[in-house]
Amino acid sequence: MNTPAKLGAFTLGLAVVFGLALGAGHVTGPIGANAEETPDTAHGGHDSTTAAAPAGSKPGGLPAGLLVSDRGYTLTKAPAEKDEFAFRVTGPDGRPVTAFDLEHDKRMHLIVVRRDLAGFQHVHPQMSDDGTWRVASPFGGPGTYRAFADFKPTGADPLVLGIDVTQAGGATPRPLPPPATTAAVDGYTLTLDGRLESGRTSKLTLSVSRDGKPVTDLQPYLAAYGHLVALRDGDLAYLHVHPDGAPGDGRTRPGPDITFFAEVPTAGTYRLYLDFQHEGKVRTAEFTAVAGDGPTSERPQPRPSKSASDDHGSDDHSH
Ligand SMILES: [Cu+2]
């Protein structure tokens, strides 16, 4: 496939991704477009069949989190005390934004991960009147980190902006752990069932157990039984996924299974981070997962006559 055609297919794929997300209430994108809201009210006026920018992605189809500035909003670091991280979001008028909508109980979600996908943190800074957000340092040691601010300015679309933050000192890169379907954290075992495929909604089921027994009394955390962030290995493209069903909806059980509908923009390797709460404490389980090509490879291909020399990276030649 030549490059323009490939880009076109990629863009189309994203439109489908976010269209599904908005229409069905399954989220691939920022926290704002969440499964607990009624799509009609939460996203009134957003017709997923139009060319309107899908939540959290740039017109033209970039995944969220890759830009430090998007649609007039810019993420900037602010002077901070020792052992603290501070930042602001400036708006289209160049001034710090101070009005943010609540999303999943918070007006700002800050996700931090080292560039090698280690050291994941999901924290909730506090804003002072001048629009400066502060939080105890979420950085676990030396190295370069990506900090994602996931928020919705009042009156504007949800956004995820990302900025690199370097902590002085030598850091030893961690090789990405190999793909796995189980993860252990704090005495809990999590099992991942399901397979990510680009361009297609994948059902992922995460099951929580402890000491070999299913956990059936998970606690709501930020209005859900689980929060799943997926980061793409290589560029840290950001997807925030919420579960199918919400606490108190009469059909969603508090474990042991948490079901997500996720869609990733491309084939490739992703690191999944699941936040869940049990017995009053939030824990994060991590998995490496490889997304398959999905239906992308089933799309009609352009005529192959002249593409042989420039189609490296295409589906046919990438293995
Ligand atoms: Cu959060």
Side-chain angles (χ1 to χ4, degrees):
M1 187 184 290
N2 64 33
T3 299
K6 191 174 179 67
L7 281 175
F10 177 70
T11 304
L12 177 64
L14 274 176
V16 171
V17 169
F18 287 99
L20 280 173
L22 293 173
H26 300 155
V27 174
T28 55
I31 285 172
N34 70 65
E36 286 72 43
E37 293 170 345
T38 303
D40 285 349
T41 56
H43 306 288
H46 290 221
D47 181 345
S48 61
T49 63
T50 70
S57 80
K58 191 179 188 317
L62 273 186
L66 297 176
L67 302 178
V68 73
S69 183
D70 193 11
R71 284 176 264 167
Y73 293 88
T74 302
L75 178 59
T76 57
K77 287 173 247 187
E81 303 292 319
K82 192 176 184 300
D83 299 326
E84 180 189 72
F85 178 59
F87 62 94
R88 298 184 187 101
V89 176
T90 57
D93 61 1
R95 301 161 62 131
V97 178
T98 56
F100 296 83
D101 290 346
L102 275 180
E103 297 183 291
H104 281 265
D105 295 348
K106 300 291 177 183
R107 297 184 197 279
M108 178 64 68
H109 301 261
L110 184 73
I111 309 298
V112 167
V113 71
R114 213 168 64 182
R115 273 271 172 202
D116 59 4
L117 294 167
F120 178 92
Q121 294 283 318
H122 176 173
V123 295
H124 301 106
Q126 296 287 321
M127 192 186 78
S128 44
D129 293 345
D130 69 353
T132 303
W133 293 92
R134 299 177 188 282
V135 67
S137 174
F139 309 110
T144 299
Y145 292 78
R146 190 71 172 168
F148 301 93
D150 190 330
F151 60 91
K152 181 184 178 303
T154 299
D157 287 334
L159 270 177
V160 181
L161 300 177
I163 194 166
D164 280 356
V165 181
T166 299
Q167 300 291 298
T172 305
R174 180 195 68 169
L176 189 66
T181 53
T182 61
V185 54
D186 242 0
Y188 295 83
T189 300
L190 285 95
T191 306
L192 169 66
D193 188 36
R195 186 169 182 275
L196 292 171
E197 287 187 62
S198 73
R200 173 178 292 174
T201 301
S202 305
K203 182 179 179 181
L204 299 181
T205 303
L206 289 133
S207 302
V208 188
S209 66
R210 186 171 59 174
D211 301 327
K213 282 180 283 192
V215 173
T216 57
D217 57 346
L218 290 174
Q219 297 166 324
Y221 171 57
L222 303 175
Y225 286 124
H227 291 264
L228 184 65
V229 168
L231 298 176
R232 184 166 62 187
D233 185 33
D235 64 3
L236 308 189
Y238 174 100
L239 299 171
H240 190 125
V241 189
H242 288 287
D244 179 43
D249 66 2
R251 66 181 179 89
T252 304
R253 293 167 177 278
D257 294 346
I258 315 171
T259 301
F260 294 88
F261 290 93
E263 185 142 352
V264 294
T266 61
T269 303
Y270 292 79
R271 188 73 168 162
L272 310 181
Y273 305 87
L274 173 74
D275 291 334
F276 65 100
Q277 180 166 275
H278 188 234
E279 294 178 353
K281 190 173 172 197
V282 178
R283 298 170 176 87
T284 305
E286 304 185 15
F287 301 82
T288 298
V290 176
D293 280 338
T296 304
S297 56
E298 297 160 20
R299 290 200 184 99
Q301 300 293 307
R303 298 175 69 87
S305 54
K306 63 182 274 295
S307 64
S309 62
D310 63 0
D311 67 349
H312 67 276
S314 78
D315 298 331
D316 299 313
H317 296 268
S318 57
H319 302 292

